[in-house]
Amino acid sequence: MDKFWAHLIKVQPDPDPWVVVVSALVALVIVGFRMPWQVSRGLITIAHEGGHALMALLTRRKLEGIRLHSDTSGVTLTRGRPTGPGMVLTALAGYLAPPLLGLGAAWLTEQGRITLLVWGVLLLLVCMLLLIRNLYGALILLVTGGAVFALIMYAPADIQQVVALVSVWFLLFGGIRPIIELQHKRRRRQARDSDADQLARLTFLPGGFYVFFFLLVSLASVLFGAYLMNPL
């Protein structure tokens, strides 16, 4: 265990500046273009539903389970009071989870704790797998977790570092696009049960306020994450 802990917390050297810049550009291409975004958007959904689930547990709501669907949507089922702070915080956590997770990952990356970051992601995926209640959700988590485990076991440290950098940028950039998509759907009245509209029914503030709040937190996370990983 002492050897494993030492391996877990070891500090990797800082990446070359061009590696940080290229990884950011790769993540931006993945998020910005339709085809790679459709393939990878499910990873943002995993973080989104994980945020709902974690906040439900922290506010002592009964967590029934999580479902991930092939159209990259998802739902987290909880039981408890239909109103009140617990329900509000649980609804808030979804769209905030990817950018805040990316910000935390950026901090670990800046500290050189790449190994700790990758093992932490694997642990979160395993915990989430225990809460999945549909076959597709279990399959996508097994595939993602298997890829992370293979990265840990077989990839050299410099490859792990590059993958971690791309993943951090992907979480930061990928937290913004679903919020923009949400607002477009709300304008066409196609998202009446979205997190923002549920929050509007739970509080005295309109749904547009929550969309703005989600976007503000996401943009702030990108800026602060970029500051942390600034190669200069």
Side-chain angles (χ1 to χ4, degrees):
M1 288 302 297
D2 290 341
K3 290 182 179 180
F4 176 71
W5 180 249
H7 170 73
L8 199 64
I9 63 173
K10 71 177 181 181
V11 177
Q12 289 186 242
D14 293 337
D16 293 330
W18 70 268
V19 175
V20 179
V21 174
V22 170
S23 64
L25 292 176
V26 170
L28 194 58
V29 168
I30 294 173
V31 174
F33 287 87
R34 182 177 180 182
M35 185 173 294
W37 174 245
Q38 288 178 338
V39 173
S40 61
R41 193 187 192 283
L43 300 177
I44 297 296
T45 303
I46 291 174
H48 180 111
E49 300 304 330
H52 283 313
L54 177 61
M55 188 56 67
L57 292 174
L58 291 176
T59 56
R60 298 187 177 183
R61 293 183 62 80
K62 184 174 178 56
L63 186 58
E64 296 282 313
I66 301 170
R67 292 178 178 271
L68 301 174
H69 303 133
S70 58
D71 63 353
T72 71
S73 65
V75 61
T76 299
L77 307 172
T78 66
R79 281 197 307 173
R81 290 183 57 190
T83 59
M87 187 63 194
V88 171
L89 291 173
T90 299
L92 270 174
Y95 281 99
L96 299 183
L100 292 180
L101 183 61
L103 184 58
W107 179 79
L108 286 175
T109 302
E110 188 271 336
Q111 297 292 314
R113 310 287 186 179
I114 302 297
T115 304
L116 181 61
L117 171 60
V118 178
W119 275 99
V121 170
L122 182 61
L123 178 61
L124 290 175
L125 290 171
V126 171
C127 292
M128 196 167 176
L129 180 62
L130 300 176
L131 301 170
I132 286 294
R133 296 296 181 266
N134 68 321
L135 181 60
Y136 179 82
L139 179 63
I140 194 68
L141 281 177
L142 285 171
V143 170
T144 305
V148 174
F149 183 74
L151 180 71
I152 292 172
M153 297 301 296
Y154 302 112
D158 54 345
I159 298 299
Q160 291 186 24
Q161 187 177 62
V162 171
V163 173
L165 285 169
V166 173
S167 301
V168 170
W169 287 115
F170 174 73
L171 284 170
L172 291 171
F173 295 143
I176 296 175
R177 181 160 178 171
I179 301 170
I180 297 173
E181 292 174 348
L182 169 64
Q183 185 58 24
H184 288 164
K185 289 181 180 179
R186 293 185 72 251
R187 286 178 179 174
R188 296 193 297 266
R189 300 185 182 276
Q190 295 176 348
R192 296 179 183 274
D193 292 325
S194 70
D195 292 351
D197 292 284
Q198 290 184 43
L199 286 163
R201 291 191 289 267
L202 289 167
T203 64
F204 60 89
L205 296 171
F209 168 83
Y210 290 103
V211 175
F212 175 75
F213 178 69
F214 295 152
L215 187 60
L216 184 64
V217 173
S218 296
L219 291 173
S221 298
V222 170
L223 292 175
F224 194 43
Y227 169 77
L228 289 173
M229 294 193 296
N230 180 5
L232 302 179

